[in-house]
PDB file of all heavy atoms in Angstrom:
ATOM      1  N   THR A  11      11.474   6.189  -0.801  1.00 97.00           N
ATOM      2  CA  THR A  11      10.839   4.947  -0.985  1.00 97.00           C
ATOM      3  C   THR A  11      11.616   3.652  -0.474  1.00 97.00           C
ATOM      4  O   THR A  11      10.964   2.743  -0.054  1.00 97.00           O
ATOM      5  CB  THR A  11      10.451   4.604  -2.470  1.00 97.00           C
ATOM      6  OG1 THR A  11      11.497   4.780  -3.301  1.00 97.00           O
ATOM      7  CG2 THR A  11       9.365   5.732  -2.906  1.00 97.00           C
ATOM      8  N   GLY A  12      12.826   3.747  -0.490  1.00 97.00           N
ATOM      9  CA  GLY A  12      13.688   2.673   0.083  1.00 97.00           C
ATOM     10  C   GLY A  12      13.387   2.569   1.577  1.00 97.00           C
ATOM     11  O   GLY A  12      13.210   1.454   2.017  1.00 97.00           O
ATOM     12  N   ARG A  13      13.452   3.658   2.318  1.00 97.00           N
ATOM     13  CA  ARG A  13      13.213   3.638   3.711  1.00 97.00           C
ATOM     14  C   ARG A  13      11.771   3.158   4.010  1.00 97.00           C
ATOM     15  O   ARG A  13      11.548   2.418   4.822  1.00 97.00           O
ATOM     16  CB  ARG A  13      13.464   4.985   4.264  1.00 97.00           C
ATOM     17  CG  ARG A  13      13.306   5.027   5.787  1.00 97.00           C
ATOM     18  CD  ARG A  13      13.614   6.390   6.284  1.00 97.00           C
ATOM     19  NE  ARG A  13      12.797   7.503   5.795  1.00 97.00           N
ATOM     20  CZ  ARG A  13      13.017   8.791   5.952  1.00 97.00           C
ATOM     21  NH1 ARG A  13      14.088   9.191   6.835  1.00 97.00           N
ATOM     22  NH2 ARG A  13      12.264   9.644   5.475  1.00 97.00           N
ATOM     23  N   ASP A  14      10.826   3.717   3.158  1.00 97.00           N
ATOM     24  CA  ASP A  14       9.476   3.335   3.288  1.00 97.00           C
ATOM     25  C   ASP A  14       9.242   1.841   3.230  1.00 97.00           C
ATOM     26  O   ASP A  14       8.646   1.096   3.969  1.00 97.00           O
ATOM     27  CB  ASP A  14       8.519   4.015   2.293  1.00 97.00           C
ATOM     28  CG  ASP A  14       8.446   5.550   2.556  1.00 97.00           C
ATOM     29  OD1 ASP A  14       8.660   5.968   3.647  1.00 97.00           O
ATOM     30  OD2 ASP A  14       8.105   6.271   1.569  1.00 97.00           O
ATOM     31  N   ALA A  15       9.913   1.323   2.132  1.00 97.00           N
ATOM     32  CA  ALA A  15       9.693  -0.176   1.898  1.00 97.00           C
ATOM     33  C   ALA A  15      10.357  -1.012   3.001  1.00 97.00           C
ATOM     34  O   ALA A  15       9.775  -2.006   3.427  1.00 97.00           O
ATOM     35  CB  ALA A  15      10.479  -0.511   0.581  1.00 97.00           C
ATOM     36  N   SER A  16      11.447  -0.529   3.593  1.00 97.00           N
ATOM     37  CA  SER A  16      12.081  -1.287   4.727  1.00 97.00           C
ATOM     38  C   SER A  16      11.200  -1.270   5.940  1.00 97.00           C
ATOM     39  O   SER A  16      11.087  -2.308   6.703  1.00 97.00           O
ATOM     40  CB  SER A  16      13.430  -0.746   5.003  1.00 97.00           C
ATOM     41  OG  SER A  16      13.350   0.589   5.461  1.00 97.00           O
ATOM     42  N   LYS A  17      10.509  -0.075   6.147  1.00 96.00           N
ATOM     43  CA  LYS A  17       9.645  -0.008   7.365  1.00 96.00           C
ATOM     44  C   LYS A  17       8.371  -0.967   7.114  1.00 96.00           C
ATOM     45  O   LYS A  17       7.861  -1.508   8.081  1.00 96.00           O
ATOM     46  CB  LYS A  17       9.222   1.399   7.659  1.00 96.00           C
ATOM     47  CG  LYS A  17      10.435   2.255   8.088  1.00 96.00           C
ATOM     48  CD  LYS A  17      10.005   3.675   8.482  1.00 96.00           C
ATOM     49  CE  LYS A  17      11.205   4.423   9.012  1.00 96.00           C
ATOM     50  NZ  LYS A  17      11.515   4.040  10.417  1.00 96.00           N
ATOM     51  N   ILE A  18       7.819  -0.884   5.938  1.00 96.00           N
ATOM     52  CA  ILE A  18       6.637  -1.688   5.632  1.00 96.00           C
ATOM     53  C   ILE A  18       6.917  -3.147   5.681  1.00 96.00           C
ATOM     54  O   ILE A  18       6.052  -3.932   6.092  1.00 96.00           O
ATOM     55  CB  ILE A  18       6.125  -1.311   4.177  1.00 96.00           C
ATOM     56  CG1 ILE A  18       5.499   0.132   4.283  1.00 96.00           C
ATOM     57  CG2 ILE A  18       5.035  -2.288   3.818  1.00 96.00           C
ATOM     58  CD1 ILE A  18       5.070   0.665   2.915  1.00 96.00           C
ATOM     59  N   ALA A  19       8.152  -3.600   5.269  1.00 95.00           N
ATOM     60  CA  ALA A  19       8.410  -4.942   5.215  1.00 95.00           C
ATOM     61  C   ALA A  19       8.312  -5.713   6.478  1.00 95.00           C
ATOM     62  O   ALA A  19       8.066  -6.924   6.471  1.00 95.00           O
ATOM     63  CB  ALA A  19       9.930  -5.196   4.663  1.00 95.00           C
ATOM     64  N   VAL A  20       8.442  -5.069   7.635  1.00 95.00           N
ATOM     65  CA  VAL A  20       8.285  -5.711   8.917  1.00 95.00           C
ATOM     66  C   VAL A  20       6.988  -5.576   9.541  1.00 95.00           C
ATOM     67  O   VAL A  20       6.735  -6.010  10.621  1.00 95.00           O
ATOM     68  CB  VAL A  20       9.404  -5.146   9.900  1.00 95.00           C
ATOM     69  CG1 VAL A  20      10.797  -5.458   9.409  1.00 95.00           C
ATOM     70  CG2 VAL A  20       9.258  -3.656  10.141  1.00 95.00           C
ATOM     71  N   LEU A  21       5.994  -4.987   8.824  1.00 97.00           N
ATOM     72  CA  LEU A  21       4.669  -4.768   9.286  1.00 97.00           C
ATOM     73  C   LEU A  21       3.791  -5.641   8.373  1.00 97.00           C
ATOM     74  O   LEU A  21       3.469  -5.329   7.261  1.00 97.00           O
ATOM     75  CB  LEU A  21       4.250  -3.342   9.159  1.00 97.00           C
ATOM     76  CG  LEU A  21       5.156  -2.314   9.918  1.00 97.00           C
ATOM     77  CD1 LEU A  21       4.712  -0.890   9.611  1.00 97.00           C
ATOM     78  CD2 LEU A  21       5.094  -2.536  11.421  1.00 97.00           C
ATOM     79  N   PRO A  22       3.194  -6.765   8.905  1.00 96.00           N
ATOM     80  CA  PRO A  22       2.595  -7.803   8.069  1.00 96.00           C
ATOM     81  C   PRO A  22       1.184  -7.444   7.529  1.00 96.00           C
ATOM     82  O   PRO A  22       0.757  -8.055   6.564  1.00 96.00           O
ATOM     83  CB  PRO A  22       2.565  -9.007   9.051  1.00 96.00           C
ATOM     84  CG  PRO A  22       2.497  -8.442  10.374  1.00 96.00           C
ATOM     85  CD  PRO A  22       3.277  -7.161  10.341  1.00 96.00           C
ATOM     86  N   HIS A  23       0.521  -6.435   8.185  1.00 98.00           N
ATOM     87  CA  HIS A  23      -0.829  -6.203   7.758  1.00 98.00           C
ATOM     88  C   HIS A  23      -0.851  -4.896   6.938  1.00 98.00           C
ATOM     89  O   HIS A  23      -0.563  -3.800   7.389  1.00 98.00           O
ATOM     90  CB  HIS A  23      -1.768  -6.126   8.967  1.00 98.00           C
ATOM     91  CG  HIS A  23      -1.714  -7.236   9.852  1.00 98.00           C
ATOM     92  ND1 HIS A  23      -2.039  -8.518   9.459  1.00 98.00           N
ATOM     93  CD2 HIS A  23      -1.227  -7.312  11.099  1.00 98.00           C
ATOM     94  CE1 HIS A  23      -1.941  -9.305  10.516  1.00 98.00           C
ATOM     95  NE2 HIS A  23      -1.402  -8.730  11.498  1.00 98.00           N
ATOM     96  N   ARG A  24      -1.349  -5.068   5.652  1.00 98.00           N
ATOM     97  CA  ARG A  24      -1.289  -3.910   4.764  1.00 98.00           C
ATOM     98  C   ARG A  24      -2.570  -3.771   3.959  1.00 98.00           C
ATOM     99  O   ARG A  24      -3.045  -4.678   3.392  1.00 98.00           O
ATOM    100  CB  ARG A  24      -0.106  -4.098   3.814  1.00 98.00           C
ATOM    101  CG  ARG A  24       1.252  -4.283   4.395  1.00 98.00           C
ATOM    102  CD  ARG A  24       2.249  -4.790   3.548  1.00 98.00           C
ATOM    103  NE  ARG A  24       3.430  -5.292   4.325  1.00 98.00           N
ATOM    104  CZ  ARG A  24       4.087  -6.412   4.024  1.00 98.00           C
ATOM    105  NH1 ARG A  24       3.705  -7.207   3.025  1.00 98.00           N
ATOM    106  NH2 ARG A  24       5.128  -6.704   4.696  1.00 98.00           N
ATOM    107  N   VAL A  25      -3.084  -2.577   3.964  1.00 98.00           N
ATOM    108  CA  VAL A  25      -4.338  -2.260   3.181  1.00 98.00           C
ATOM    109  C   VAL A  25      -4.198  -0.983   2.430  1.00 98.00           C
ATOM    110  O   VAL A  25      -3.495  -0.097   2.882  1.00 98.00           O
ATOM    111  CB  VAL A  25      -5.611  -2.265   4.026  1.00 98.00           C
ATOM    112  CG1 VAL A  25      -5.897  -3.673   4.582  1.00 98.00           C
ATOM    113  CG2 VAL A  25      -5.471  -1.275   5.188  1.00 98.00           C
ATOM    114  N   LEU A  26      -4.892  -0.760   1.387  1.00 98.00           N
ATOM    115  CA  LEU A  26      -4.860   0.389   0.518  1.00 98.00           C
ATOM    116  C   LEU A  26      -6.237   0.937   0.421  1.00 98.00           C
ATOM    117  O   LEU A  26      -7.203   0.106   0.168  1.00 98.00           O
ATOM    118  CB  LEU A  26      -4.256   0.172  -0.803  1.00 98.00           C
ATOM    119  CG  LEU A  26      -4.068   1.418  -1.698  1.00 98.00           C
ATOM    120  CD1 LEU A  26      -2.696   1.455  -2.287  1.00 98.00           C
ATOM    121  CD2 LEU A  26      -5.121   1.395  -2.770  1.00 98.00           C
ATOM    122  N   ALA A  27      -6.400   2.260   0.437  1.00 98.00           N
ATOM    123  CA  ALA A  27      -7.766   2.845   0.373  1.00 98.00           C
ATOM    124  C   ALA A  27      -7.904   3.879  -0.726  1.00 98.00           C
ATOM    125  O   ALA A  27      -6.830   4.639  -0.955  1.00 98.00           O
ATOM    126  CB  ALA A  27      -8.160   3.510   1.643  1.00 98.00           C
ATOM    127  N   TYR A  28      -9.018   3.977  -1.430  1.00 98.00           N
ATOM    128  CA  TYR A  28      -9.233   4.933  -2.422  1.00 98.00           C
ATOM    129  C   TYR A  28     -10.700   5.337  -2.538  1.00 98.00           C
ATOM    130  O   TYR A  28     -11.537   4.641  -1.926  1.00 98.00           O
ATOM    131  CB  TYR A  28      -8.672   4.501  -3.833  1.00 98.00           C
ATOM    132  CG  TYR A  28      -9.430   3.215  -4.371  1.00 98.00           C
ATOM    133  CD1 TYR A  28     -10.492   3.243  -5.030  1.00 98.00           C
ATOM    134  CD2 TYR A  28      -8.871   1.981  -4.076  1.00 98.00           C
ATOM    135  CE1 TYR A  28     -11.139   2.109  -5.575  1.00 98.00           C
ATOM    136  CE2 TYR A  28      -9.497   0.798  -4.518  1.00 98.00           C
ATOM    137  CZ  TYR A  28     -10.671   0.950  -5.264  1.00 98.00           C
ATOM    138  OH  TYR A  28     -11.278  -0.184  -5.781  1.00 98.00           O
ATOM    139  N   ARG A  29     -10.961   6.349  -3.227  1.00 98.00           N
ATOM    140  CA  ARG A  29     -12.383   6.827  -3.406  1.00 98.00           C
ATOM    141  C   ARG A  29     -12.955   5.975  -4.489  1.00 98.00           C
ATOM    142  O   ARG A  29     -12.570   6.007  -5.655  1.00 98.00           O
ATOM    143  CB  ARG A  29     -12.394   8.311  -3.739  1.00 98.00           C
ATOM    144  CG  ARG A  29     -13.789   8.903  -3.743  1.00 98.00           C
ATOM    145  CD  ARG A  29     -13.712  10.396  -4.114  1.00 98.00           C
ATOM    146  NE  ARG A  29     -14.963  11.127  -3.933  1.00 98.00           N
ATOM    147  CZ  ARG A  29     -15.996  11.249  -4.888  1.00 98.00           C
ATOM    148  NH1 ARG A  29     -15.710  10.614  -6.031  1.00 98.00           N
ATOM    149  NH2 ARG A  29     -17.063  11.869  -4.623  1.00 98.00           N
ATOM    150  N   GLY A  30     -14.081   5.295  -4.117  1.00 97.00           N
ATOM    151  CA  GLY A  30     -14.810   4.427  -5.109  1.00 97.00           C
ATOM    152  C   GLY A  30     -15.706   5.106  -6.081  1.00 97.00           C
ATOM    153  O   GLY A  30     -15.820   6.371  -5.990  1.00 97.00           O
ATOM    154  N   ALA A  31     -16.252   4.367  -6.949  1.00 97.00           N
ATOM    155  CA  ALA A  31     -17.081   4.965  -7.962  1.00 97.00           C
ATOM    156  C   ALA A  31     -18.220   5.777  -7.524  1.00 97.00           C
ATOM    157  O   ALA A  31     -18.699   6.645  -8.139  1.00 97.00           O
ATOM    158  CB  ALA A  31     -17.512   3.864  -9.014  1.00 97.00           C
ATOM    159  N   ASP A  32     -18.858   5.355  -6.354  1.00 97.00           N
ATOM    160  CA  ASP A  32     -19.997   6.018  -5.760  1.00 97.00           C
ATOM    161  C   ASP A  32     -19.593   7.052  -4.712  1.00 97.00           C
ATOM    162  O   ASP A  32     -20.513   7.487  -3.930  1.00 97.00           O
ATOM    163  CB  ASP A  32     -20.983   5.027  -5.260  1.00 97.00           C
ATOM    164  CG  ASP A  32     -20.467   4.137  -4.197  1.00 97.00           C
ATOM    165  OD1 ASP A  32     -19.243   4.264  -3.854  1.00 97.00           O
ATOM    166  OD2 ASP A  32     -21.201   3.317  -3.656  1.00 97.00           O
ATOM    167  N   GLY A  33     -18.322   7.320  -4.576  1.00 96.00           N
ATOM    168  CA  GLY A  33     -17.955   8.330  -3.516  1.00 96.00           C
ATOM    169  C   GLY A  33     -17.599   7.756  -2.135  1.00 96.00           C
ATOM    170  O   GLY A  33     -17.174   8.526  -1.285  1.00 96.00           O
ATOM    171  N   ARG A  34     -17.759   6.507  -1.986  1.00 97.00           N
ATOM    172  CA  ARG A  34     -17.392   5.893  -0.716  1.00 97.00           C
ATOM    173  C   ARG A  34     -15.942   5.301  -0.746  1.00 97.00           C
ATOM    174  O   ARG A  34     -15.458   4.936  -1.729  1.00 97.00           O
ATOM    175  CB  ARG A  34     -18.324   4.691  -0.429  1.00 97.00           C
ATOM    176  CG  ARG A  34     -19.832   5.089  -0.220  1.00 97.00           C
ATOM    177  CD  ARG A  34     -20.580   3.815   0.141  1.00 97.00           C
ATOM    178  NE  ARG A  34     -22.017   4.013   0.387  1.00 97.00           N
ATOM    179  CZ  ARG A  34     -22.951   4.063  -0.540  1.00 97.00           C
ATOM    180  NH1 ARG A  34     -22.726   3.783  -1.793  1.00 97.00           N
ATOM    181  NH2 ARG A  34     -24.250   4.273  -0.194  1.00 97.00           N
ATOM    182  N   PRO A  35     -15.276   5.314   0.449  1.00 98.00           N
ATOM    183  CA  PRO A  35     -13.943   4.845   0.463  1.00 98.00           C
ATOM    184  C   PRO A  35     -13.997   3.365   0.232  1.00 98.00           C
ATOM    185  O   PRO A  35     -14.882   2.658   0.673  1.00 98.00           O
ATOM    186  CB  PRO A  35     -13.535   5.040   1.920  1.00 98.00           C
ATOM    187  CG  PRO A  35     -14.342   6.142   2.409  1.00 98.00           C
ATOM    188  CD  PRO A  35     -15.629   5.980   1.716  1.00 98.00           C
ATOM    189  N   VAL A  36     -13.073   2.824  -0.490  1.00 98.00           N
ATOM    190  CA  VAL A  36     -12.851   1.345  -0.698  1.00 98.00           C
ATOM    191  C   VAL A  36     -11.551   0.986  -0.053  1.00 98.00           C
ATOM    192  O   VAL A  36     -10.482   1.672  -0.344  1.00 98.00           O
ATOM    193  CB  VAL A  36     -12.841   1.028  -2.187  1.00 98.00           C
ATOM    194  CG1 VAL A  36     -12.602  -0.512  -2.392  1.00 98.00           C
ATOM    195  CG2 VAL A  36     -14.210   1.409  -2.873  1.00 98.00           C
ATOM    196  N   VAL A  37     -11.479  -0.110   0.737  1.00 98.00           N
ATOM    197  CA  VAL A  37     -10.265  -0.564   1.349  1.00 98.00           C
ATOM    198  C   VAL A  37     -10.103  -1.905   0.867  1.00 98.00           C
ATOM    199  O   VAL A  37     -10.927  -2.815   1.009  1.00 98.00           O
ATOM    200  CB  VAL A  37     -10.420  -0.520   2.878  1.00 98.00           C
ATOM    201  CG1 VAL A  37      -9.023  -0.896   3.536  1.00 98.00           C
ATOM    202  CG2 VAL A  37     -10.800   0.915   3.398  1.00 98.00           C
ATOM    203  N   VAL A  38      -8.893  -2.322   0.383  1.00 98.00           N
ATOM    204  CA  VAL A  38      -8.533  -3.579  -0.062  1.00 98.00           C
ATOM    205  C   VAL A  38      -7.112  -4.035   0.379  1.00 98.00           C
ATOM    206  O   VAL A  38      -6.232  -3.208   0.737  1.00 98.00           O
ATOM    207  CB  VAL A  38      -8.527  -3.675  -1.583  1.00 98.00           C
ATOM    208  CG1 VAL A  38      -9.900  -3.366  -2.223  1.00 98.00           C
ATOM    209  CG2 VAL A  38      -7.469  -2.715  -2.214  1.00 98.00           C
ATOM    210  N   PRO A  39      -6.957  -5.348   0.615  1.00 98.00           N
ATOM    211  CA  PRO A  39      -5.588  -5.832   0.971  1.00 98.00           C
ATOM    212  C   PRO A  39      -4.601  -5.758  -0.112  1.00 98.00           C
ATOM    213  O   PRO A  39      -4.935  -6.038  -1.298  1.00 98.00           O
ATOM    214  CB  PRO A  39      -5.945  -7.295   1.446  1.00 98.00           C
ATOM    215  CG  PRO A  39      -7.087  -7.728   0.570  1.00 98.00           C
ATOM    216  CD  PRO A  39      -7.914  -6.449   0.369  1.00 98.00           C
ATOM    217  N   VAL A  40      -3.318  -5.430   0.286  1.00 98.00           N
ATOM    218  CA  VAL A  40      -2.244  -5.428  -0.774  1.00 98.00           C
ATOM    219  C   VAL A  40      -1.036  -6.034  -0.070  1.00 98.00           C
ATOM    220  O   VAL A  40      -0.890  -6.135   1.121  1.00 98.00           O
ATOM    221  CB  VAL A  40      -1.936  -4.063  -1.224  1.00 98.00           C
ATOM    222  CG1 VAL A  40      -3.096  -3.344  -1.994  1.00 98.00           C
ATOM    223  CG2 VAL A  40      -1.657  -3.103  -0.004  1.00 98.00           C
ATOM    224  N   GLU A  41      -0.095  -6.426  -1.020  1.00 97.00           N
ATOM    225  CA  GLU A  41       1.218  -6.932  -0.556  1.00 97.00           C
ATOM    226  C   GLU A  41       2.247  -6.120  -1.183  1.00 97.00           C
ATOM    227  O   GLU A  41       2.093  -5.528  -2.301  1.00 97.00           O
ATOM    228  CB  GLU A  41       1.341  -8.354  -0.943  1.00 97.00           C
ATOM    229  CG  GLU A  41       0.461  -9.382  -0.279  1.00 97.00           C
ATOM    230  CD  GLU A  41       0.727  -9.447   1.315  1.00 97.00           C
ATOM    231  OE1 GLU A  41       1.799  -9.042   1.678  1.00 97.00           O
ATOM    232  OE2 GLU A  41      -0.252  -9.881   1.995  1.00 97.00           O
ATOM    233  N   LEU A  42       3.427  -5.963  -0.554  1.00 97.00           N
ATOM    234  CA  LEU A  42       4.565  -5.249  -1.100  1.00 97.00           C
ATOM    235  C   LEU A  42       5.330  -6.120  -1.912  1.00 97.00           C
ATOM    236  O   LEU A  42       5.808  -7.162  -1.401  1.00 97.00           O
ATOM    237  CB  LEU A  42       5.346  -4.619   0.051  1.00 97.00           C
ATOM    238  CG  LEU A  42       6.607  -3.812  -0.301  1.00 97.00           C
ATOM    239  CD1 LEU A  42       6.200  -2.591  -1.098  1.00 97.00           C
ATOM    240  CD2 LEU A  42       7.475  -3.483   0.989  1.00 97.00           C
ATOM    241  N   ALA A  43       5.651  -5.729  -3.170  1.00 96.00           N
ATOM    242  CA  ALA A  43       6.491  -6.701  -4.019  1.00 96.00           C
ATOM    243  C   ALA A  43       7.803  -6.033  -4.363  1.00 96.00           C
ATOM    244  O   ALA A  43       8.509  -6.519  -5.254  1.00 96.00           O
ATOM    245  CB  ALA A  43       5.723  -6.886  -5.330  1.00 96.00           C
ATOM    246  N   GLY A  44       8.165  -4.957  -3.754  1.00 96.00           N
ATOM    247  CA  GLY A  44       9.485  -4.291  -4.003  1.00 96.00           C
ATOM    248  C   GLY A  44       9.300  -2.797  -4.124  1.00 96.00           C
ATOM    249  O   GLY A  44       8.192  -2.181  -3.977  1.00 96.00           O
ATOM    250  N   HIS A  45      10.310  -2.064  -4.627  1.00 97.00           N
ATOM    251  CA  HIS A  45      10.298  -0.680  -4.787  1.00 97.00           C
ATOM    252  C   HIS A  45      11.284  -0.233  -5.813  1.00 97.00           C
ATOM    253  O   HIS A  45      12.366  -0.972  -5.995  1.00 97.00           O
ATOM    254  CB  HIS A  45      10.480   0.093  -3.455  1.00 97.00           C
ATOM    255  CG  HIS A  45      11.842  -0.009  -3.000  1.00 97.00           C
ATOM    256  ND1 HIS A  45      12.449  -1.106  -2.327  1.00 97.00           N
ATOM    257  CD2 HIS A  45      12.935   0.989  -3.063  1.00 97.00           C
ATOM    258  CE1 HIS A  45      13.689  -0.854  -2.057  1.00 97.00           C
ATOM    259  NE2 HIS A  45      14.052   0.405  -2.471  1.00 97.00           N
ATOM    260  N   ASP A  46      11.051   0.966  -6.426  1.00 96.00           N
ATOM    261  CA  ASP A  46      12.115   1.519  -7.335  1.00 96.00           C
ATOM    262  C   ASP A  46      11.957   3.007  -7.283  1.00 96.00           C
ATOM    263  O   ASP A  46      11.247   3.540  -6.467  1.00 96.00           O
ATOM    264  CB  ASP A  46      11.992   0.899  -8.726  1.00 96.00           C
ATOM    265  CG  ASP A  46      10.625   0.942  -9.315  1.00 96.00           C
ATOM    266  OD1 ASP A  46       9.864   1.948  -8.950  1.00 96.00           O
ATOM    267  OD2 ASP A  46      10.213   0.104  -9.980  1.00 96.00           O
ATOM    268  N   ALA A  47      12.493   3.630  -8.249  1.00 96.00           N
ATOM    269  CA  ALA A  47      12.349   5.148  -8.327  1.00 96.00           C
ATOM    270  C   ALA A  47      10.936   5.551  -8.479  1.00 96.00           C
ATOM    271  O   ALA A  47      10.608   6.729  -8.104  1.00 96.00           O
ATOM    272  CB  ALA A  47      13.223   5.753  -9.420  1.00 96.00           C
ATOM    273  N   ALA A  48      10.132   4.850  -9.096  1.00 96.00           N
ATOM    274  CA  ALA A  48       8.663   5.106  -9.339  1.00 96.00           C
ATOM    275  C   ALA A  48       7.887   4.983  -8.063  1.00 96.00           C
ATOM    276  O   ALA A  48       6.839   5.765  -7.946  1.00 96.00           O
ATOM    277  CB  ALA A  48       8.193   4.328 -10.419  1.00 96.00           C
ATOM    278  N   GLY A  49       8.233   4.307  -7.160  1.00 98.00           N
ATOM    279  CA  GLY A  49       7.410   4.053  -5.897  1.00 98.00           C
ATOM    280  C   GLY A  49       7.502   2.676  -5.378  1.00 98.00           C
ATOM    281  O   GLY A  49       8.410   1.890  -5.688  1.00 98.00           O
ATOM    282  N   LEU A  50       6.512   2.262  -4.593  1.00 98.00           N
ATOM    283  CA  LEU A  50       6.351   1.033  -4.004  1.00 98.00           C
ATOM    284  C   LEU A  50       5.539   0.120  -4.912  1.00 98.00           C
ATOM    285  O   LEU A  50       4.403   0.521  -5.450  1.00 98.00           O
ATOM    286  CB  LEU A  50       5.600   1.031  -2.708  1.00 98.00           C
ATOM    287  CG  LEU A  50       6.276   2.002  -1.598  1.00 98.00           C
ATOM    288  CD1 LEU A  50       5.243   2.188  -0.371  1.00 98.00           C
ATOM    289  CD2 LEU A  50       7.514   1.484  -1.179  1.00 98.00           C
ATOM    290  N   ARG A  51       6.007  -1.033  -5.255  1.00 98.00           N
ATOM    291  CA  ARG A  51       5.323  -2.004  -6.058  1.00 98.00           C
ATOM    292  C   ARG A  51       4.381  -2.805  -5.285  1.00 98.00           C
ATOM    293  O   ARG A  51       4.789  -3.533  -4.299  1.00 98.00           O
ATOM    294  CB  ARG A  51       6.303  -2.856  -6.786  1.00 98.00           C
ATOM    295  CG  ARG A  51       7.305  -2.151  -7.700  1.00 98.00           C
ATOM    296  CD  ARG A  51       6.686  -1.791  -8.999  1.00 98.00           C
ATOM    297  NE  ARG A  51       7.501  -0.825  -9.790  1.00 98.00           N
ATOM    298  CZ  ARG A  51       7.249  -0.410 -11.080  1.00 98.00           C
ATOM    299  NH1 ARG A  51       6.140  -0.900 -11.655  1.00 98.00           N
ATOM    300  NH2 ARG A  51       7.974   0.411 -11.644  1.00 98.00           N
ATOM    301  N   LEU A  52       3.105  -2.733  -5.589  1.00 98.00           N
ATOM    302  CA  LEU A  52       2.076  -3.501  -4.882  1.00 98.00           C
ATOM    303  C   LEU A  52       1.405  -4.624  -5.704  1.00 98.00           C
ATOM    304  O   LEU A  52       1.348  -4.486  -6.887  1.00 98.00           O
ATOM    305  CB  LEU A  52       0.954  -2.518  -4.369  1.00 98.00           C
ATOM    306  CG  LEU A  52       1.441  -1.331  -3.536  1.00 98.00           C
ATOM    307  CD1 LEU A  52       0.284  -0.441  -3.238  1.00 98.00           C
ATOM    308  CD2 LEU A  52       2.136  -1.754  -2.325  1.00 98.00           C
TER     309      LEU A  52
END
C-alpha cells in the first residue's frame, strides 16, 4: 500500500466503482488521504 499510495499521489484524477443497489456499477470521485497497514485512506 505504501508503493500504491506513492504511485496514486502523482495521478490527479481518481474514481472508485462498486456494484450499486440495483446491480448497476456506480462510479464516484475520491481523494487519497493517506495510507496505513489497513489500506488506502479515501
